[in-house]
């Protein structure tokens, strides 16, 4: 296709502002999906395919428009955890539709996505969606949008993804305002990978945007970051299903299949070229996504350990950002320390492990990565609090984020109080309209990964929205708090916390364990300590209870049953020093909060 006829765009929006529904209408209007095959949220295929064990999700769809144009809509993952991928999707486009729910107005992810699109120099088309809603206030929010991106409120398109109102005008506007792709058709081929997924039947499917040159079927392709070469088994475009094509040229968007089994061979952000005439420079900078949050994953039933290991291997095929290595814990047995891009990523991985591999898992409290420098000049990254060094520490650095909170005016005080309680520094504040405020904070990542979002929602009656991105790291007054049972450290509860919060953390865990661990034959002290210094203490008092005493007379069967039941229970006990602790107690202590 002649590049001047191609338009590559994405839709960016806050959650639930109607991206998928609008995409459905576009698929219908352009005739890519006919009435008969239409179903809601056509492109959200993950769930259905997941049930069937196939994971090929179309991240891009090619739509003909007015017989002369080709529109490539490139889907962007919506969540901040995946902003690395979002940024790559944006790089594959020349324009972005900024979609805003006309009954809600601008939200935190609207802003975050907008800024990202601006950083990539995309043409931005503001669109108010859901104008069919009785509560829609398009005039008001057109002002808000125009204030944000400049321009005239009248230029904001008004559409309804539900009724299809305004969608034809929107497609024409895309042709008009999104620049055609530019690239050198005669240069060696360069294509950017913006997504890659593993399919059980076909191996890795790689989604690319051609920048320069051309890739033909049957060519050997070469990954520029690793220099690995692969034979092309199939290539084509998605419209709306994968359709083989006779090659991809400048500006085109499509897929490549090589039969390779591991997505790490075909990483998002890498540049593909052809081995017969390779390009010399890759596109853009290339970097691996780094895990931001770590957690220990343990099978509830220890015999599931091999299943968990295989399951993680399988998931990794599809998820280059997932990291894991074996670890053991006195409290929880054999498991894995896993690295994730964020909490949502953790939740998704955990849910997939439980659903798709039938595992029952316990995960330890998530923690961020700390960089510790020692007085002797050595340095280490701590991904597990129990590995925090004991020697002479010079400085501990913790990762920071730039958080953006959008809130109605009335809740500014409540939001500020929350952020200050989490060691936040106010960086700036803007009024988007007389009643809507944007607050920008610098916050430690560790302070927002637990319950920050829930707290924000409950303090603002659900009206505030949040977005954040990793920035840098800062030195901080952090200590490791250990929890000891009768003098023995219980590794699963060690945590790295700010000095000012150490006592509260220690006390709350000690109290929890006291109420969860049954009394023993002897007194069991529970201590929270920083190094050798005990900062909190609780005690489980001793009992000397003869369980058989209450069995009257000579009812042997009853006694035996009782003893057997106790034996059963013992299997689920963990010994910490001399103390018997039911595994349930650890699990309960870890899962509450
Ligand atoms: P995520 O994929 O979760 O980010 O959401 P999304 O932005 O793709 O939104 P989606 O299309 O799933 O729509 C969210 C909700 O809004 C659904 O309940 C839709 O039925 C509804 N919705 C979407 N567009 C319209 C519209 O134009 N009018 C009305 N009344 N409802 C809409």
């Amino acid at each position: 296709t002649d590049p001047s006829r191609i338009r590559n765009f994405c839709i960016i929006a806050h959650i639930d502002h109607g991206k998928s529904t609008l995409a459905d209408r576009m698929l219908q209007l352009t005739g890519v999906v006919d009435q008969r095959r239409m179903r809601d949220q056509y492109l959200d295929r993950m769930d259905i395919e997941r049930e069937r064990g196939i994971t090929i999700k179309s991240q891009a769809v090619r739509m003909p428009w007015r017989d002369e144009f080709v529109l490539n809509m490139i889907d962007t993952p919506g969540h901040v955890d995946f902003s690395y991928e979002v940024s790559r999707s944006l790089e594959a486009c020349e324009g972005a539709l900024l979609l805003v729910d006309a009954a809600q107005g601008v939200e935190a992810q609207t802003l975050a996505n907008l800024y990202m699109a601006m950083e990539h120099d995309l043409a931005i088309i503001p669109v108010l969606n859901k104008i069919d809603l009785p509560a829609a206030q398009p005039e008001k929010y057109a002002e808000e949008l125009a204030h944000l991106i400049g321009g005239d409120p009248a230029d904001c398109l008004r559409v309804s993804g539900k009724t299809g109102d305004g969608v034809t005008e929107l497609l024409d506007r895309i042709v008009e305002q999104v620049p055609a792709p530019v690239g050198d058709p005669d240069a060696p081929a360069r294509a950017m990978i913006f997504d890659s997924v593993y399919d059980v039947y076909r191996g890795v499917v790689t989604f690319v945007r051609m920048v320069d040159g051309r890739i033909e079927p049957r060519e050997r392709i070469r990954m520029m970051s690793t220099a690995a070469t692969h034979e092309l088994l199939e290539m084509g475009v998605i419209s709306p299903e994968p359709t083989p094509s006779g090659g991809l040229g400048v500006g085109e968007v499509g897929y490549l299949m090589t039969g390779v089994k591991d997505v790490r061979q075909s990483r998002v952000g890498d540049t593909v070229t052809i081995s017969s005439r390779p390009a010399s420079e890759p596109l853009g900078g290339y970097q691996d996504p780094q895990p931001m949050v770590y957690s220990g994953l343990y099978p509830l039933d220890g015999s599931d350990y091999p299943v968990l290991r295989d399951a993680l291997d399988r998931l990794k095929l599809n998820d280059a950002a997932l990291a894991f290595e074996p670890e053991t814990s006195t409290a929880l047995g054999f498991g894995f320390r896993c690295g994730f891009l964020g909490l949502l990523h953790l939740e998704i991985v955990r849910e997939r492990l439980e659903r798709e591999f039938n595992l029952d898992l316990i995960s330890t409290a998530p923690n961020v990565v700390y960089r510790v420098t020692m007085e002797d000049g050595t340095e280490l990254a701590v991904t597990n609090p129990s590995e925090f060094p004991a020697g002479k520490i010079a400085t501990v650095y913790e990762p920071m984020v730039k958080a953006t909170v959008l809130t109605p005016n009335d809740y500014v005080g409540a939001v500020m109080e929350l952020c200050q309680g989490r060691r936040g520094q106010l960086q700036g504040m803007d009024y988007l309209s007389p009643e809507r405020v944007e607050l920008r904070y610098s916050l430690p990542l560790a302070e927002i990964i637990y319950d920050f979002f829930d707290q924000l929602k409950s303090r603002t009656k659900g009206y505030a929205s949040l977005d954040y991105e990793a920035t840098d790291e800062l030195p901080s007054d952090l200590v490791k708090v250990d929890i000891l049972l009768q003098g023995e450290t219980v590794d699963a509860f060690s945590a790295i916390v700010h000095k000012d919060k150490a006592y509260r953390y220690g006390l709350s865990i000690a109290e929890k364990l006291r109420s969860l661990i049954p009394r023993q034959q002897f007194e069991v002290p529970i201590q929270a300590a920083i190094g050798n210094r005990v900062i909190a203490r609780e005690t489980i008092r001793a009992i000397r209870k003869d369980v058989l005493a209450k069995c009257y007379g000579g009812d042997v069967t009853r006694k035996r049953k009782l003893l057997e039941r106790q034996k059963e229970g013992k299997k689920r006990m963990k010994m910490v020093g001399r103390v018997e602790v039911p595994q349930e107690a650890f699990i309960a202590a870890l899962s509450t909060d």
Side-chain angles (χ1 to χ4, degrees):
T1 314
D2 177 354
S4 71
R5 300 273 161 223
I6 300 175
R7 301 291 182 271
N8 296 326
F9 71 97
C10 55
I11 309 178
I12 54 184
H14 191 73
I15 304 155
D16 282 345
H17 281 202
K19 234 169 64 160
S20 316
T21 310
L22 178 64
D24 287 349
R25 292 296 83 70
M26 292 182 172
L27 293 177
Q28 269 179 314
L29 262 175
T30 56
V32 167
V33 180
D34 63 33
Q35 212 60 44
R36 196 167 37 84
R37 286 189 307 152
M38 194 64 209
R39 53 165 192 264
D40 279 355
Q41 314 200 333
Y42 194 91
L43 296 175
D44 280 350
R45 306 178 208 202
M46 259 302 256
D47 243 329
I48 316 156
E49 290 172 337
R50 205 189 281 165
E51 315 281 348
R52 295 201 221 131
I54 319 165
T55 21
I56 171 171
K57 57 188 159 132
S58 164
Q59 290 283 358
V61 59
R62 178 182 169 118
M63 304 179 287
W65 184 235
R66 298 218 185 271
D67 296 330
E68 44 176 336
F69 293 102
V70 168
L71 307 179
N72 287 309
M73 177 163 63
I74 296 172
D75 199 14
T76 61
H79 193 272
V80 41
D81 280 15
F82 307 112
S83 54
Y84 174 77
E85 265 93 330
V86 179
S87 136
R88 287 298 166 176
S89 302
L90 294 186
E91 221 153 280
C93 303
E94 279 78 30
L97 308 184
L98 180 65
L99 197 64
V100 171
D101 185 327
Q104 304 277 332
V106 173
E107 300 282 5
Q109 259 98 44
T110 321
L111 283 187
N113 287 320
L114 169 65
Y115 296 149
M116 216 187 292
M118 283 161 65
E119 274 167 32
H120 287 86
D121 286 327
L122 301 191
I124 290 155
I125 301 179
V127 182
L128 288 164
N129 189 29
K130 308 196 191 180
I131 51 164
D132 62 290
L133 286 176
Q137 295 178 278
E139 300 316 314
K140 178 174 164 191
Y141 294 124
E143 291 276 351
E144 221 174 73
L145 263 177
H147 175 79
L148 203 61
I149 56 179
D152 190 333
D155 289 339
C156 274
L157 283 169
R158 289 149 170 79
V159 308
S160 164
K162 189 174 173 187
T163 66
D165 229 15
V167 180
T168 303
E169 293 79 351
L170 175 56
L171 291 169
D172 286 333
R173 184 73 75 90
I174 292 168
V175 169
E176 216 175 280
Q177 293 190 346
V178 175
V182 280
D184 182 351
D186 304 316
R190 289 199 298 177
M192 200 207 44
I193 301 180
F194 61 89
D195 195 25
S196 91
V197 295
Y198 173 72
D199 176 287
V200 263
Y201 303 111
R202 297 187 272 193
V204 172
V205 183
T206 302
F207 296 90
V208 294
R209 146 82 197 254
M210 289 301 300
V211 175
D212 294 321
R214 195 175 166 79
I215 297 180
E216 301 276 348
R218 303 268 152 222
E219 219 136 20
R220 259 196 106 74
I221 57 167
R222 173 176 176 149
M223 303 298 166
M224 292 196 72
S225 71
T226 58
T229 67
H230 307 288
E231 192 187 336
L232 257 187
L233 301 181
E234 186 185 316
M235 66 184 299
V237 297
I238 317 272
S239 190
E241 306 298 334
T243 316
S245 81
L248 293 172
V250 169
E252 290 195 281
V253 175
Y255 69 92
L256 308 173
M257 284 184 202
T258 57
V260 167
K261 285 271 184 285
D262 182 347
V263 288
R264 280 168 291 185
Q265 300 290 319
S266 180
R267 288 180 291 193
V268 172
D270 201 354
T271 302
V272 183
T273 187
I274 51 179
S275 56
S276 57
R277 192 185 163 216
S280 51
E281 286 294 315
L283 299 159
Y286 174 73
Q287 72 192 97
D288 274 330
Q290 290 300 320
M292 305 269 285
V293 172
Y294 280 79
S295 168
L297 284 184
Y298 292 84
L300 273 189
D301 178 349
S303 65
D304 276 343
Y305 177 79
V307 184
L308 177 58
R309 187 187 52 218
D310 291 347
L312 283 166
D313 271 332
R314 285 282 298 278
L315 285 196
K316 176 93 191 163
L317 292 178
N318 239 328
D319 187 346
L322 173 65
F324 60 92
E325 56 180 56
E327 75 174 1
T328 42
S329 149
T330 42
L332 302 167
F334 291 101
F336 292 90
R337 172 108 326 219
C338 303
F340 307 94
L341 294 170
L343 275 207
L344 178 73
H345 188 205
L346 189 165
E347 273 166 38
I348 291 174
V349 168
R350 186 177 163 175
E351 193 192 317
R352 291 188 63 187
L353 288 169
E354 297 198 315
R355 272 183 53 161
E356 295 171 32
F357 301 91
N358 221 351
L359 287 161
D360 282 320
L361 299 173
I362 172 84
S363 51
T364 61
N367 60 271
V368 302
V369 185
Y370 299 94
R371 191 164 64 86
V372 182
T373 57
M374 309 296 288
E375 282 180 359
D376 65 10
T378 54
E379 181 180 305
L380 68 161
V382 176
T383 57
N384 182 345
S386 67
E387 288 163 4
F388 197 74
K392 294 234 181 287
I393 290 171
T395 316
V396 184
Y397 296 88
E398 67 174 333
M400 303 294 293
V401 300
K402 185 182 110 187
T404 306
V405 177
L406 251 68
T407 175
N409 209 3
D410 298 349
Y411 301 108
V412 168
V415 173
M416 286 183 153
E417 195 181 83
L418 174 65
C419 292
Q420 264 142 32
R422 303 297 176 104
R423 302 190 278 133
Q425 295 283 342
L426 183 64
Q427 307 280 309
M429 181 167 160
D430 279 313
Y431 278 80
L432 295 178
S433 69
E435 65 265 31
R436 202 192 289 266
V437 185
E438 175 191 356
L439 295 162
R440 289 183 302 278
Y441 270 91
S442 165
L443 280 155
L445 175 62
E447 294 282 350
I448 61 173
I449 57 174
Y450 290 96
D451 58 341
F452 184 84
F453 188 64
D454 295 340
Q455 285 288 328
L456 182 71
K457 284 286 178 193
S458 75
R459 287 174 191 223
T460 60
K461 299 209 168 75
Y463 283 117
S465 54
L466 166 76
D467 195 85
Y468 63 86
E469 60 177 307
T471 48
D472 47 359
E473 50 174 26
L474 287 179
S476 183
D477 234 340
L478 298 165
V479 292
K480 179 174 75 152
V481 178
D482 287 319
I483 304 295
L484 294 84
L485 269 187
Q486 246 207 354
E488 295 267 342
T489 304
V490 188
D491 50 11
F493 292 107
S494 293
I496 297 169
V497 288
H498 191 264
K499 216 178 68 195
D500 297 345
K501 297 185 176 180
Y503 171 72
R504 214 181 315 149
Y505 174 80
L507 193 63
S508 80
I509 297 287
E511 279 172 354
K512 240 187 256 174
L513 288 178
R514 193 203 51 204
S515 67
L516 289 165
I517 297 175
R519 291 184 179 188
Q520 317 268 320
Q521 307 284 18
F522 41 85
E523 191 176 277
V524 179
I526 307 172
Q527 296 161 307
I530 300 173
N532 293 325
R533 192 161 55 85
V534 174
I535 56 169
R537 177 185 165 126
E538 293 280 328
T539 306
I540 304 171
R541 271 177 296 124
I543 44 151
R544 191 171 290 278
K545 192 172 85 182
D546 184 352
V547 285
L548 299 183
K550 62 178 162 195
C551 297
Y552 46 87
D555 187 347
V556 185
T557 42
R558 180 148 176 214
K559 275 185 190 168
R560 192 180 298 142
K561 260 192 199 147
L562 197 60
L563 287 169
E564 263 163 22
R565 212 177 309 142
Q566 282 202 331
K567 217 164 78 191
E568 272 295 297
K570 281 246 163 50
K571 278 200 248 161
R572 310 210 54 138
M573 293 284 182
K574 300 274 178 184
M575 294 299 292
V576 178
R578 283 165 63 216
V579 188
E580 278 180 351
V581 183
Q583 194 183 19
E584 286 72 27
F586 286 127
I587 293 163
L590 278 170
S591 40
T592 46
D593 219 31

